[in-house]
Amino acid sequence: EDEQIVAEIMGRRFFPEFIAYKPWEGFHFAGHEIRITEATDCYGAVVWPSALVLCYFLETNSKQCNLVDKNVIEIGAGTGLVSIVASLLGAFVTATDLPELLGNLQYNILQNTKQKCKHQPCVKELSWGIDLEKNFPRSSCHFDYIMAADVVYHHPFLDELLLTFDHLCKNDTVILWAMKFRLENENRFVDRFQTLFDLEMISNFPSLNIALYKAMRKGRMKA
């Protein structure tokens, strides 16, 4: 079953027949052809398999996870694929990442959502753990969903990442997080994450070494 679903997920990706002046990859999600421009010299400007897993879940579980008119933030949006799919499914999306990635992120989102979405997504800078209250004040920012794909890997900002999840998450916020398991140090982040949030694995793909989680604040998952 794992291999069958993984084949379907990866089958959503397609490549251009001719080399364009800008390298891009194509994807089929939410009834649309999505073209993503990448930059191979930066981790954050490449589409990783975790993003495809999360997009596939959003599309195939649209009744269980109805995004229409929901307020969604994606952290570590990278190329913007997850944000684009969430937008095409009816959400009001804020796509965030580091300042150096915002240009490519904005380009991809505009190219793939303009006049196609109920709510035009916005792009904002978010450096994990920095100026959170200033840029995303708790009193006025309320997100129904926080989405993250492949934000845990070998980088020195895991403490700041956990702080960011904590700051953005209200009592009724649902976190959807796709994670590829790599090294033990990063894997231990899951244990630390569970000190603040109840965590439920909703999909697991051993052949990709990727798990998809749903999380809420402690004590809220069953409420």
Side-chain angles (χ1 to χ4, degrees):
E1 185 184 358
D2 167 49
E3 291 178 359
Q4 215 172 11
I5 298 175
V6 166
E8 185 177 342
I9 293 172
M10 303 311 288
R12 299 300 184 93
R13 170 182 266 156
F14 68 93
F15 299 93
E17 292 183 23
F18 303 101
I19 302 299
Y21 73 99
K22 282 187 176 180
W24 60 271
E25 284 187 82
F27 304 87
H28 291 291
F29 285 109
H32 290 267
E33 180 182 293
I34 300 167
R35 294 190 177 192
I36 296 292
T37 299
E38 297 183 317
T40 55
D41 60 343
C42 178
Y43 285 139
V46 176
V47 177
W48 298 99
S50 293
L52 273 67
V53 167
L54 183 47
C55 289
Y56 181 82
F57 173 82
L58 296 177
E59 180 188 72
T60 57
N61 293 270
S62 57
K63 289 184 179 178
Q64 170 194 345
C65 180
N66 184 357
L67 296 183
V68 177
D69 297 331
K70 296 297 194 299
N71 201 9
V72 172
I73 186 168
E74 184 186 5
I75 61 174
T79 60
L81 180 61
V82 172
S83 288
I84 290 164
V85 172
S87 297
L88 293 171
L89 291 170
F92 181 82
V93 177
T94 302
T96 70
D97 216 313
L98 297 169
E100 60 267 27
L101 296 172
L102 297 187
N104 189 57
L105 175 59
Q106 179 77 66
Y107 174 83
N108 282 328
I109 284 180
L110 278 176
Q111 291 296 308
N112 290 286
T113 62
K114 195 173 182 182
Q115 297 182 331
K116 297 178 183 177
C117 295
K118 185 175 183 181
H119 309 287
Q120 186 60 38
C122 68
V123 173
K124 276 188 83 169
E125 176 186 341
L126 173 52
S127 300
W128 298 335
I130 297 174
D131 292 333
L132 294 175
E133 182 57 30
K134 176 185 174 184
N135 297 324
F136 299 90
R138 289 180 187 268
S139 59
S140 58
C141 286
H142 183 284
F143 298 105
D144 299 296
Y145 290 92
I146 299 170
M147 297 188 184
D150 226 351
V151 292
V152 177
Y153 53 90
H154 185 59
H155 62 71
F157 305 108
L158 293 177
D159 289 343
E160 290 82 357
L161 174 60
L162 187 59
L163 183 65
T164 301
F165 273 124
D166 184 42
H167 180 83
L168 296 174
C169 189
K170 295 286 199 295
N171 281 343
D172 57 349
T173 302
V174 174
I175 299 171
L176 294 174
W177 167 31
M179 175 175 173
K180 182 175 179 68
F181 287 84
R182 295 182 175 90
L183 303 173
E184 187 57 34
N185 185 41
E186 288 95 76
N187 296 349
R188 282 199 295 268
F189 180 84
V190 176
D191 296 329
R192 296 176 55 208
F193 185 87
Q194 289 183 96
T195 63
L196 298 175
F197 304 99
D198 289 322
L199 195 63
E200 175 189 350
M201 183 186 292
I202 52 179
S203 296
N204 186 29
F205 302 101
S207 60
L208 294 174
N209 213 21
I210 291 172
L212 178 61
Y213 293 107
K214 173 185 174 182
M216 294 187 76
R217 280 209 176 276
K218 281 283 187 186
R220 300 296 303 181
M221 191 74 90
K222 301 293 188 292

